[in-house]
Amino acid sequence: MEQKEARTASGSLKEKQRHEREELILQVAEEVLAEKGYYETSIDEIASRVGIAKGTVYLHFPSKEDLVVAIFRRDMQQLLERVDGVVCTEATIHNKVEAVLRCMYGRFFVKRMQLFYSIYNSGDSKRHWKDHGGNLGMCWEQLAQRISDLLEQGKATGEFDVTIPTSVMLSAFFSLLSPRSYERLMVEGKMAGDELATYLGRIYFKGISNCSGNENENTRTSD
Amino acid sequence: MEQKEARTASGSLKEKQRHEREELILQVAEEVLAEKGYYETSIDEIASRVGIAKGTVYLHFPSKEDLVVAIFRRDMQQLLERVDGVVCTEATIHNKVEAVLRCMYGRFFVKRMQLFYSIYNSGDSKRHWKDHGGNLGMCWEQLAQRISDLLEQGKATGEFDVTIPTSVMLSAFFSLLSPRSYERLMVEGKMAGDELATYLGRIYFKGISNCSGNENENTRTSD
Amino acid sequence: MEQKEARTASGSLKEKQRHEREELILQVAEEVLAEKGYYETSIDEIASRVGIAKGTVYLHFPSKEDLVVAIFRRDMQQLLERVDGVVCTEATIHNKVEAVLRCMYGRFFVKRMQLFYSIYNSGDSKRHWKDHGGNLGMCWEQLAQRISDLLEQGKATGEFDVTIPTSVMLSAFFSLLSPRSYERLMVEGKMAGDELATYLGRIYFKGISNCSGNENENTRTSD
Amino acid sequence: MEQKEARTASGSLKEKQRHEREELILQVAEEVLAEKGYYETSIDEIASRVGIAKGTVYLHFPSKEDLVVAIFRRDMQQLLERVDGVVCTEATIHNKVEAVLRCMYGRFFVKRMQLFYSIYNSGDSKRHWKDHGGNLGMCWEQLAQRISDLLEQGKATGEFDVTIPTSVMLSAFFSLLSPRSYERLMVEGKMAGDELATYLGRIYFKGISNCSGNENENTRTSD
DNA sequence: AATGAATGAGTCTTCATTCAT
DNA sequence: CATGAATGAAGACTCATTCAT
């Protein structure tokens, strides 16, 4: 009864609460998924870690898959925003790409990226995620497109090596660090996330740069 | 007494057949696993694809996990042998590393590597595979050690950039191509496996080479 | 706030229902187990006899073993309570032991005891039930202790034969009737449960009594 | 070829060997079954303990059940022979029954009896063993008959209490010691098998004897 | 809206039994 | 005969999903 008074107000209030809860579920789910992997994570665990009932999760996400897809999308959105922010800058192409690299391999996103990798590379991805693939793929494609564009521009300005296909550059960019390797370096190698990103960047950019790399050339001619 | 010869003979025959069957299971299992991932692959499916009964699989491998571990070990063994073969060569360090790279990313091994990646990076790997981890890890460590050694040697000869930690070089080497990216480039980009390996090699070696990469240096100092 | 009361109320309601369901499962399971034995009883059958799904059983009992252990415990508890009730009485030692005997071999408990016997004597009990054995054994020990105490007291008062070790008396007490024999006598011999208990009691008590039993003594000395 | 020479001779030789092997299987099987129980014992284990192939067991016994039945029968046969030997004696009825008791609970047979009990009382016996039940039951009945006769004779001579039904006496006789209790007393109580049998005999015979058991009578009148 | 009990399809695994060699 | 590889039925257990409250 007392709820009737302000239906519109409570509507937006409820809406806000709903959104907050959804966000919380996404955060916790991402955490658990990153920790245990898709198949070892049960809806039960997510719900209990959030402190809600299992059914409530289904009130927000129609299936486990959809939950994961939502995480993908949310993170991709964030990443895209950051990337777009970078692209609009007045910096060098090289610096732009490097900034993007820092986004993805820096301490902030690497956890999320790990999750994507583990699911995206889990073999069954083709069939299993096809239904949602449209959306997922679209997000991913957008990101890939942004980076591709940057790489192409870099080639145009003569910064990047035109003899290497952009698609390969792109793949290499995405593959620079597997989740597992990351963990190794961070935990066993006690390396800071950003330091790592810096090193990887150096390898990558020297690798794709247009510099002649003449010493290499010499060694290469020897075979 | 006369049975003894027969026994050894039939023993080796049986042994051979057993080994063949086992090999067949391993092959098919590897295939299915690569296709569907660990969790989406059921022993039932492996068995029916091989054309045998479920129980027969268990005759050779005491559990699903053991089956996967056996695949790991077998492939690692092969890879290690190849790598060792390469290491013994009289080639440049650079060429040796490149040869190893071709092993791992060339048409032959990439499928296997994909499986390793998908399982190794599946998040729960730490806990789930620990029991067998000793063995698996050992195989993997051996491989990593071989490559680390090569990289260190390359640094010593001045071929590789000493300012980049070997561990990072190693990780980058292992991560050059994620299974998913590979598939993309092969299928959508219609790129030959070896061609791909060549491009990746160029990026990687230029990336870790000791060349000054002065253009890059210039752009880098600008930030 | 208004939910809090409801929550407690509904909590206890749910709790009650849960308990009822659990009790129902225990009853049916006990029945089936007694009928078919541990290994021939499948969770599926228990569930379908209760009229619920297999999973529901696992909602209450984490494993088949735990289900059986729960039955054990529940029945032991009941039995212990009855025995304790008897022990507190002002009756003769003899009468107390007889009352306990009636508990165990009377119509009420004999079914349950049968189940215990069949599992307890199933050969692999040592290994198989060890984990829970702590609890189970404890219940059983308590019962055994009560009866041992009574027997010792009986010896002290001169009612029972001090020349027979209490441990043997105890074992004989527990073994007075095997489940199978019970069934025979009840079904084929058309004997009432309590009548049977009376006869067994007579044999047992005369057997352990301190009476000289001179005829026997005579015949025994003849060999 | 060399086998052809003495087909008849070898026939009986083979026959003997076959019988020896069968006996060996029975012995080992009995051992394992007593150790692990029916359901926890696999044909595989029996075969490997005997040192033969699994299939060979099936050459002698068409099924696991049949193997167990054969053990039953063999042991029952032996027991019956001993009992018959005892019955033909010129001893007192009491002594005869006691001798039978020593057979069953003495060190020699108790292991076998344990196995019988555990299977016979395993709940599913009715349905599960029905096919063979005819035979098994027959053996058992014969034994029961012998003992019943003795008990009846004892009643006739006034040695045993005529007010207790023979069927109850018989059941009590068979139930005097459950396998589990036996183990307890032997292992924990460090009691010799024969000593135990003596104590049980004393309880049992005093229990079924015709002695007035006046002290007991006194205590009994007190309630 | 939130809950969490109930569901049941799907998986791994075991083992008695068969049969080609 | 002996073998032991192959079979496949059966059972314990999990967990995403549904739905009555």
Side-chain angles (χ1 to χ4, degrees), chain D residues 107 181-193 196:
Chain D
R107 93 187 86 90
S181 299
Y182 178 81
E183 207 137 338
R184 254 176 197 244
L185 291 173
M186 296 291 280
V187 176
E188 298 176 21
K190 292 160 203 271
M191 189 172 288
L196 184 52

Side-chain angles (χ1 to χ4, degrees), chain C residues 35-36 39-40 95 118 120-121 124-126 161 163 175 178 180 183 202-203 206-207 209 211, chain D residues 36 39-40 118 120-121 123-126 161 163 175 180 183-184 202-203 206-207 209 215-216 223:
Chain C
E35 200 175 297
K36 303 203 169 193
Y39 294 93
E40 295 290 318
N95 283 345
S118 71
Y120 202 58
N121 290 322
D124 59 320
S125 35
K126 277 153 295 181
D161 186 343
T163 67
S175 304
S178 73
R180 187 72 178 181
E183 207 136 337
R202 272 177 54 196
I203 295 179
K206 211 197 290 174
S209 79
C211 87
Chain D
K36 304 200 169 192
Y39 293 94
E40 297 288 318
S118 71
Y120 203 59
N121 288 324
D124 59 320
S125 35
K126 277 154 296 182
D161 187 342
T163 68
S175 305
R180 189 71 177 183
E183 207 137 338
R184 254 176 197 244
R202 272 176 55 196
I203 295 179
K206 211 197 290 175
S209 78
E215 284 109 325
N216 289 342
D223 59 347

Side-chain angles (χ1 to χ4, degrees), chain C residues 138-221:
Chain C
M138 215 171 297
C139 287
W140 191 267
E141 286 308 333
Q142 280 183 291
L143 179 62
Q145 196 54 56
R146 299 287 196 288
I147 300 171
S148 276
D149 289 347
L150 287 179
L151 293 172
E152 299 276 10
Q153 288 168 31
K155 283 182 175 178
T157 64
E159 288 178 63
F160 299 153
D161 186 343
V162 290
T163 67
I164 297 174
T166 307
S167 61
V168 176
M169 282 187 181
L170 184 68
S171 289
F173 184 84
F174 277 129
S175 304
L176 270 176
L177 195 57
S178 73
R180 187 72 178 181
S181 298
Y182 178 81
E183 207 136 337
R184 257 176 193 245
L185 291 173
M186 296 292 279
V187 176
E188 298 174 19
K190 291 161 205 271
M191 188 172 287
D194 293 334
E195 188 187 3
L196 183 51
T198 304
Y199 284 130
L200 288 173
R202 272 177 54 196
I203 295 179
Y204 185 67
F205 288 113
K206 211 197 290 174
I208 65 169
S209 79
N210 200 23
C211 87
S212 57
N214 37 5
E215 284 112 321
N216 290 342
E217 215 60 61
N218 294 341
T219 54
R220 189 170 295 127
T221 42

Side-chain angles (χ1 to χ4, degrees), chain C residues 5 20 25 53 56 96 118 137 152 158 167 171:
Chain C
E5 324 152 29
E20 272 169 18
I25 295 174
T56 309
K96 285 182 181 178
S118 71
E152 299 276 10
S167 61
S171 289

